[in-house]
Amino acid sequence: MTKGYRNSPELNKVSFSDGGWFRTGDIGLITEDGKSYVKGNSADVVKRGTVKIVFRSVETEISSFPCVKEAVVVAVPDQCLLEEICAKRSCKKCVGIS
């Protein structure tokens, strides 16, 4: 039992499935050969004003540039928009690109 859920039937109903599994928000899949993969989390969304932006889509776009090795996106607080996107990337060594 989790302390915060004791004596809280409404919170329990939202947080646990009918089978008793805790809803973590993780999104994943199980392959035919039984391997499981976590693809992300339903909370991995930036709420920028009235628009919801999935982290992964921005990371994928940034990573599509030839000299970008990897990218990561997080939400940062914003007084006007609620949240803003903050992206960080690491670069590959590219020849002939300035």
Side-chain angles (χ1 to χ4, degrees):
M1 176 179 279
T2 306
K3 185 177 179 181
Y5 296 90
R6 187 179 301 151
N7 299 322
S8 183
E10 291 176 20
L11 187 56
N12 278 306
K13 187 173 183 170
V14 172
S15 301
F16 290 89
S17 71
D18 292 336
W21 290 94
F22 184 71
R23 292 186 172 103
T24 63
D26 291 334
I27 300 169
L29 62 97
I30 299 174
T31 62
E32 289 181 11
D33 60 350
K35 294 179 182 174
S36 60
Y37 296 91
V38 176
K39 297 298 224 174
N41 190 286
S42 60
D44 291 344
V45 174
V46 178
K47 296 165 193 84
R48 189 174 188 270
T50 60
V51 178
K52 292 183 180 180
I53 303 168
V54 179
F55 291 169
R56 177 60 74 201
S57 63
V58 178
E59 292 168 345
T60 300
E61 279 300 311
I62 294 170
S63 296
S64 71
F65 287 87
C67 286
V68 174
K69 182 177 178 181
E70 60 186 346
V72 65
V73 171
V74 295
V76 293
D78 185 89
Q79 289 182 344
C80 295
L81 297 171
L82 184 62
E83 293 179 328
E84 185 58 275
I85 296 171
C86 179
K88 176 71 175 157
R89 51 87 181 118
S90 63
C91 295
K92 302 174 192 174
K93 288 187 177 184
C94 291
V95 178
I97 297 179
S98 57

